[in-house]
Amino acid sequence: MNDRPLTLMAVHAHPDDEATGTGGVLARYAAEGIRTVLVTCTDGSCGDGPGGVKPGEAGHDPAAVALLRRRELEASCDVLKVSHLEMLDYADSGMMGWPTNAAPGSFWRTPVEEGAARLAELLRRYEPDVVVTYDENGFYGHPDHIQANRITMAALAMTVTTPKVYWTTAPRSMFQRFGEVMRELGADWQEPDPAEAAAMAEIGLPEEEITTWVDTTAFGGQKFEALAAHASQGENIFFLKMGQKRFTELMGVETFVRVQDTTGAALPENDLFAGLR
């Protein structure tokens, strides 16, 4: 008889990603007694430094940024009641096209097989029932998000485990609503130029293609506080500007595409653990 607890593993690229896309499910399932495991692949060293100093600018110290973001990540995990935090500690690759993409030790430059082998060890250790990561485009084309998808799917192929596997997504209608809310709040929200608008239109999915809708409204406060724990990146976390109430209204349901399943649970789902309990 296997007395191992039901387990959710989320594989993310950077500190703060855990809160944006999966903060609600991490908090909800922890409250339901499910073991939650967060794997963060990079050190976040291409994030903003103290005072908002950007990578490549004078005074940006990647090692110091990585240390700060580690502490913020630990604080976020405390808020979300994450059971186990695992850091792969690859160097942050930065945005697509940055010189850091090719830097020694960067996650983007790491052979998929190497990263997958390390993640496979964690899969064997924790034996998750549900694994969550990004889609093949890393949701919006970030190299580290793409690499997280690649090593996750490769790691799953290396093991005999058969968890339910999900890719994070968002309904495209949400982005329009987000812009409306920001304008209502008087935020400095610039309409994207036509090329950017066309690219944004391809992010996320039409509602009918989303398989799984998880209501995490009751945990909106925790999700907001987890994001706020990443204070050094506050300039880039636009969601914080709308306040907790509006944030929860907009971000209270987390959405996914189910890409692997052995339970036969009917779609659409409202629970990542449908068919498992």
Side-chain angles (χ1 to χ4, degrees):
M1 196 70 179
N2 188 349
D3 60 358
R4 177 185 55 80
L6 281 174
T7 300
L8 165 66
M9 177 181 284
V11 182
H12 282 291
H14 312 98
D16 77 27
D17 290 332
E18 80 290 339
T20 306
T22 58
V25 292
L26 287 169
R28 171 180 162 167
Y29 290 122
E32 293 179 6
I34 289 172
R35 181 173 62 169
T36 53
V37 180
L38 171 63
V39 180
T40 301
C41 297
T42 81
D43 60 8
S45 56
C46 284
D48 288 357
V53 63
K54 306 296 182 186
E57 294 181 348
H60 187 276
D61 180 347
V65 171
L67 179 60
L68 172 61
R69 298 196 71 186
R70 169 76 182 235
R71 291 171 178 163
E72 291 176 339
L73 177 61
E74 291 169 349
S76 172
C77 287
D78 285 345
V79 169
L80 298 173
K81 308 303 181 187
V82 170
S83 307
H84 300 276
L85 170 62
E86 297 285 351
M87 298 284 292
L88 298 187
D89 270 332
Y90 289 106
D92 190 341
S93 309
M95 299 299 287
M96 191 67 81
W98 286 15
T100 44
N101 293 174
S106 75
F107 190 38
W108 183 239
R109 182 175 172 176
T110 299
V112 170
E113 296 77 12
E114 177 189 320
R118 294 182 61 194
L119 182 58
E121 286 301 311
L122 297 177
L123 290 171
R124 296 185 188 102
R125 182 189 309 169
Y126 291 107
E127 299 180 43
D129 302 279
V130 173
V131 173
V132 176
T133 191
Y134 314 98
D135 63 21
E136 292 165 311
N137 189 47
F139 187 61
Y140 69 99
H142 193 295
D144 287 331
H145 291 223
I146 295 170
Q147 188 77 328
N149 167 276
R150 290 174 177 173
I151 73 159
T152 300
M153 303 312 291
L156 288 163
M158 291 177 177
T159 71
V160 296
T161 58
T162 56
K164 296 178 79 177
V165 180
Y166 294 88
W167 293 347
T168 57
T169 191
R172 289 176 179 163
S173 58
M174 188 193 76
F175 295 101
Q176 178 180 353
R177 179 61 182 145
F178 175 65
E180 292 170 356
V181 169
M182 296 301 283
R183 284 189 290 273
E184 288 171 15
L185 296 173
D188 183 16
W189 181 255
Q190 299 295 323
E191 289 291 342
D193 65 33
E196 290 177 335
M200 289 178 64
E202 296 303 313
I203 297 175
L205 290 172
E207 292 189 6
E208 61 271 17
E209 295 181 25
I210 295 172
T211 66
T212 310
W213 305 69
V214 183
D215 185 356
T216 62
T217 305
F219 303 91
Q222 278 176 265
K223 182 172 178 174
F224 187 86
E225 289 175 20
L227 269 176
H230 297 280
S232 68
Q233 309 306 304
E235 181 181 330
N236 303 316
I237 304 177
F238 302 109
F239 300 111
L240 293 175
K241 298 176 183 178
M242 63 182 65
Q244 181 176 312
K245 181 175 183 296
R246 298 302 294 273
F247 172 84
T248 300
E249 290 172 359
L250 185 66
M251 305 286 286
V253 175
E254 293 182 349
T255 50
F256 307 87
V257 174
R258 192 174 81 189
V259 295
Q260 178 176 300
D261 173 62
T262 58
T263 69
L267 296 176
E269 300 170 311
N270 60 12
D271 179 10
L272 298 178
F273 287 84
L276 292 168
R277 56 180 177 170

